[in-house]
């Protein structure tokens, strides 16, 4: 850098000297401006290219399949596929074509990156990672160049580290590998074509064998050429963990933390239904932070309880709604909690009216077991729980509020599930061919019926609602047990 500055400085001095000596330096200045702008223009792309090479890190973190909780099916499928890479000589003798690509499909935070790292460790390969968005550029040819650089770097790193194979992990594959078509940009097409060319060039005779592991949550968006045999040959589904998986993940992330004896991992796993691995990691971390704030040497069950609420609903806010609003929120949440407990006994874990970033108030319900199939009755009961908040407002305050809009959205989604599963009065239907207004009318009918039924139930339990609201306004949070005691001891009084 210093030399460049010295050269530029001397050249400027030389030009000044020429100017003073009476030479016309304008053509030279013009030429310099022209050359520098061309250099800067292409340099911008080049610099990005260089950055990219740096950002596609070669990581030697030792992550093995044992460090990944749950995901047993994904791990089995992946290691089975990787055995092809490990036993490549045997494969070659049988004339089996090399495995070039594995596509991991699943929601964010489920451990796809970890699986790719474990795959590199399992096959004793170097590991390079890049994200699909790093290849997206305006200038035609830049993305393709980066793909070539990535493959070249993989080979170089493997040779340097004396390894026989390299795993290239590409996250957000849908960005790089989206469908080509009328609307796609020429740059995008070139980049994707280059990836296909590079993948086609992978052969078992190469000195360094390359395996591409890509991750996406949108397989439907990928160009069909990528999914053709010989490219991404294996599709491995990486789902949200079930309860057993959650227990495993929690245990892994609790390993290095002092956990109090009152903590039940089973209970935390039950309470964190629907959480991804990343969210579970966050729960253990938040719980540890809360213990530190409390000055406690160990992380106890209260810390975990609060950490789950924080990860689910966001940070507690200082924002305090006015008394009238707070009362409405308490009534709304009492409605959800009451119907929730009546429809699914022992399911309510807590009711809160302390505002968090994602909600003004909320009810946390847990499930005894993970459910994979929903019955008609189950969906109807869930809709009833969703509608109960606004209905409670109407029963006690004689008016509704906007607090129910997300509940309605949720309820409509579930009504759609009833319709598309052939459980509505429309019978079995084809979701593509049925007119939209027919679906809309059926959604309205389902919701109206459930709304009336829920109103009837809540009316009969009005005094429960009133008592729960009073307690909530006083304590801000009620546990599931407190709600169950209230329901069992309170005499019901009907709507006027
Ligand atoms: P993805 O690539 O699917 O978005 P990552 O693999 O990057 O998810 O996971 C992010 C973080 O979440 C990991 O570093 C790890 O701490 C945690 N995590 C996610 N899934 C698991 C799992 N199955 N087991 C253990 N930790 C997990």
């Amino acid at each position: 850098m210093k030399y460049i500055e010295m050269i530029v400085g001397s050249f400027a001095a030389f030009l000044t000297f020429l100017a003073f000596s009476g030479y016309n330096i304008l053509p030279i200045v013009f030429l310099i401006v022209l050359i520098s702008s061309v250099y800067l223009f292409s340099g911008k792309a080049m610099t990005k290219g260089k950055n990219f090479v740096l950002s596609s890190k070669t990581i030697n973190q030792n992550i093995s399949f044992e460090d990944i909780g749950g995901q047993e099916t994904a791990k089995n499928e992946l290691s089975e596929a990787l055995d092809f890479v490990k036993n490549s000589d045997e494969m070659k003798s049988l004339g089996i074509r090399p495995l070039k690509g594995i596509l991991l499909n699943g929601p964010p935070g489920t451990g796809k990156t970890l699986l790719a790292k474990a795959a590199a460790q399992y096959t004793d390969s170097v590991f390079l990672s890049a994200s699909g968005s790093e290849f997206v550029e305006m200038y035609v040819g830049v993305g393709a160049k980066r793909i070539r650089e990535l493959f070249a770097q993989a080979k170089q790193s493997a040779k340097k580290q004396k390894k026989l194979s390299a795993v290239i992990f590409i996250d957000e594959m849908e960005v790089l590998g989206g469908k080509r078509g009328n609307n796609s940009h020429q740059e995008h097409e070139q980049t994707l074509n280059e990836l296909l060319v590079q993948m086609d060039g992978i052969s078992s005779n190469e000195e360094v064998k390359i395996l591409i592991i890509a991750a996406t949550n949108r397989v439907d968006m990928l160009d069909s050429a990528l999914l053709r045999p010989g490219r991404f040959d294996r599709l491995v589904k990486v789902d949200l963990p079930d309860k057993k998986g959650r227990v495993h993940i929690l245990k892994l992330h609790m390993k290095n933390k002092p956990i109090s004896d009152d903590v039940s991992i089973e209970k935390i796993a039950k309470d964190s239904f629907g959480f991804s691995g990343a969210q579970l990691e966050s729960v253990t971390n938040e719980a540890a932070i809360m213990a530190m704030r409390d000055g406690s040497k160990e992380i106890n069950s209260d810390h975990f309880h609060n950490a789950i609420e924080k990860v689910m609903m966001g940070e507690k806010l200082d924002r305090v709604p006015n008394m009238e609003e707070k009362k409405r929120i308490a009534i709304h949440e009492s409605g959800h909690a009451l119907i929730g407990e009546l429809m699914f006994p022992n399911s309510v874990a807590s009711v809160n009216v302390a505002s968090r970033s994602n909600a003004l108030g909320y009810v946390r319900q847990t499930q005894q077991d993970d459910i994979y199939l929903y019955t008609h009755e189950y969906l109807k009961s869930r809709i009833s729980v969703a509608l109960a908040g606004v209905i409670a407002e109407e029963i006690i305050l004689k008016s509704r509020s906007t607090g129910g809009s997300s509940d309605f959205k949720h309820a409509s989604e579930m009504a759609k599930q009833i319709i598309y599963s052939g459980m509505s009065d429309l019978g079995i239907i084809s979701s593509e061919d049925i007119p939209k207004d027919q679906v809309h009318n059926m959604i309205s009918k389902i919701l109206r019926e459930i709304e009336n039924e829920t109103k009837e139930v809540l009316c009969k339990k009005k005094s429960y609602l009133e008592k729960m609201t009073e307690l909530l306004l006083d304590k801000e949070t009620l546990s599931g047990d407190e709600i169950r005691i209230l329901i069992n001891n309170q005499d019901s009084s009907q709507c006027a």
Side-chain angles (χ1 to χ4, degrees):
M1 198 65 204
K2 249 183 188 168
Y3 292 114
I4 294 176
E5 280 166 17
M6 275 165 64
I7 293 167
V8 171
S10 335
F11 193 65
F14 180 62
L15 277 186
T16 322
F17 170 73
L18 286 183
F20 274 111
S21 317
Y23 287 95
N24 179 9
I25 60 161
L26 270 182
I28 302 177
V29 172
F30 179 72
L31 205 67
I32 289 171
V33 170
L34 192 74
I35 292 171
S36 1
S37 42
V38 169
Y39 177 79
L40 272 180
F41 180 72
S42 58
K44 202 173 168 189
M46 295 292 288
T47 330
K48 285 231 172 180
K50 278 184 194 155
N51 281 345
F52 163 76
V53 175
L54 288 177
S55 76
S56 63
K57 292 162 270 184
T58 316
I59 301 166
N60 286 323
Q61 241 171 0
N62 288 333
I63 299 269
S64 70
F65 284 124
E66 277 77 57
D67 300 318
I68 302 172
Q71 307 299 3
E72 295 309 324
T73 320
K75 281 195 270 186
N76 286 341
E77 277 183 42
L78 190 58
S79 51
E80 200 185 282
L82 294 171
D83 286 337
F84 279 109
V85 180
K86 273 181 106 170
N87 310 319
S88 60
D89 289 341
E90 201 181 321
M91 227 177 64
K92 220 160 130 185
S93 67
L94 286 168
I96 300 172
R97 65 173 148 73
L99 177 71
K100 297 176 181 179
I102 299 175
L103 190 63
L104 305 177
N105 175 29
T110 43
K112 297 184 289 298
T113 313
L114 292 183
L115 282 166
K117 284 181 186 168
Q121 155 110 342
Y122 186 73
T123 52
D124 192 26
S125 310
V126 289
F127 178 78
L128 278 89
S129 87
S131 169
S133 52
E134 289 175 59
F135 299 92
V136 178
E137 271 301 327
M138 252 172 62
Y139 311 110
V140 176
V142 178
K145 181 169 167 272
R146 286 181 194 170
I147 296 272
R148 282 192 295 277
E149 282 170 353
L150 183 59
F151 274 75
Q153 198 193 352
K155 284 178 196 162
Q156 260 173 24
S157 311
K159 276 184 201 157
K160 226 189 244 168
Q161 293 180 37
K162 302 201 171 31
K163 304 227 176 194
L164 297 174
S165 49
V167 167
I168 297 180
F169 175 62
I170 304 179
D171 205 358
E172 296 182 285
M173 188 60 192
E174 68 282 359
V175 181
L176 160 64
K179 284 194 172 77
R180 289 169 294 182
N182 297 341
N183 294 331
S184 65
H185 195 273
Q186 198 192 345
E187 158 63 4
H188 165 72
E189 298 205 352
Q190 272 206 12
T191 312
L192 180 51
N193 285 341
E194 186 59 43
L195 177 66
L196 297 175
V197 168
Q198 292 288 339
M199 284 186 87
D200 290 345
I202 297 174
S203 86
S204 45
N205 298 325
E206 296 254 350
E207 205 180 330
V208 174
K209 285 171 207 72
I210 292 185
L211 175 70
I212 320 260
I213 300 184
T216 184
N217 193 19
R218 296 296 308 271
V219 176
D220 56 309
M221 280 174 70
L222 295 185
D223 195 279
S224 53
L226 276 171
L227 304 172
R228 220 195 60 192
R231 266 102 183 231
F232 285 99
D233 272 329
R234 298 279 163 135
L235 182 73
V236 176
K237 188 104 188 67
V238 190
D239 268 327
L240 286 173
D242 58 9
K243 189 168 159 213
K244 202 166 141 219
R246 292 197 295 277
V247 168
H248 191 179
I249 297 172
L250 284 165
K251 278 187 182 157
L252 285 173
H253 290 290
M254 284 182 183
K255 241 194 233 162
N256 60 348
K257 297 182 175 69
I259 308 290
S260 151
D261 288 341
D262 74 335
V263 171
S264 153
I265 299 186
E266 286 282 328
K267 185 169 181 313
I268 303 171
K270 196 178 125 192
D271 286 355
S272 52
F273 171 77
F275 277 30
S276 67
Q279 282 175 310
L280 292 171
E281 190 274 335
S282 182
V283 165
T284 56
N285 196 48
E286 288 296 337
I289 293 173
M290 284 172 193
M292 190 181 73
R293 279 195 203 141
D294 277 1
S296 164
K297 290 250 175 312
E298 285 185 330
I299 312 172
N300 62 34
S301 60
D302 276 348
H303 297 136
F304 276 105
H305 176 86
N306 290 331
I308 291 177
E309 309 241 314
K310 182 172 173 196
V311 172
M312 197 184 276
M313 305 306 298
E315 185 69 90
K316 257 190 194 173
L317 297 181
D318 291 336
R319 181 181 69 201
V320 186
N322 64 37
M323 202 47 212
E324 207 178 308
E325 274 179 336
K326 202 161 181 180
K327 186 170 174 203
R328 190 177 277 278
I329 296 166
I331 293 168
H332 184 107
E333 298 311 329
S334 299
H336 285 312
L338 185 53
I339 293 291
E341 191 57 33
L342 292 175
M343 296 284 178
F344 305 98
N346 293 319
S347 69
V348 174
S350 67
V351 194
N352 299 270
V353 289
S355 295
R356 287 181 182 262
S357 45
N358 298 339
L360 288 169
Y362 57 95
V363 174
R364 205 157 56 73
Q365 274 190 285
T366 55
Q367 275 176 340
Q368 290 312 105
D369 295 301
D370 295 347
I371 297 179
Y372 303 103
L373 282 176
Y374 302 133
T375 61
H376 192 185
E377 277 314 306
Y378 177 86
L379 286 171
K380 275 171 59 181
S381 306
R382 282 266 154 237
I383 295 177
S384 180
V385 177
L387 299 180
V390 165
I391 298 173
E393 285 182 46
E394 195 172 57
I395 289 174
I396 297 191
L397 299 173
K398 311 282 180 235
S399 68
R400 295 183 172 192
S401 71
T402 52
S405 52
S406 65
D407 295 335
F408 294 158
K409 211 165 145 196
H410 189 205
S412 313
E413 285 304 319
M414 288 185 283
K416 264 192 216 163
Q417 269 183 297
I418 294 180
I419 297 169
Y420 291 136
S421 318
M423 296 189 283
S424 75
D425 290 350
L426 292 172
I428 300 170
I429 47 135
S430 149
S431 55
E432 280 130 46
D433 301 326
I434 188 160
K436 266 199 170 154
D437 58 340
Q438 223 172 323
V439 175
H440 174 78
N441 291 342
M442 189 43 71
I443 292 176
S444 305
K445 181 168 179 266
I446 293 172
L447 296 186
R448 207 172 323 111
E449 278 171 13
I450 299 176
E451 186 184 349
N452 291 337
E453 285 165 20
T454 311
K455 196 166 185 177
E456 216 172 289
V457 177
L458 276 181
C459 261
K460 285 187 189 148
K461 310 279 178 191
K462 192 178 168 200
S463 57
Y464 293 174
L465 269 184
E466 285 165 337
K467 185 69 194 164
M468 213 185 285
T469 307
E470 197 184 305
L471 285 175
L472 262 180
L473 285 173
D474 183 34
K475 296 168 82 171
E476 280 205 343
T477 302
L478 293 179
S479 71
D481 289 338
E482 284 171 308
I483 287 166
R484 285 181 274 282
I485 290 171
L486 186 144
I487 293 180
N488 292 333
N489 293 341
Q490 181 87 8
D491 290 331
S492 66
S493 73
Q494 308 231 350
C495 284

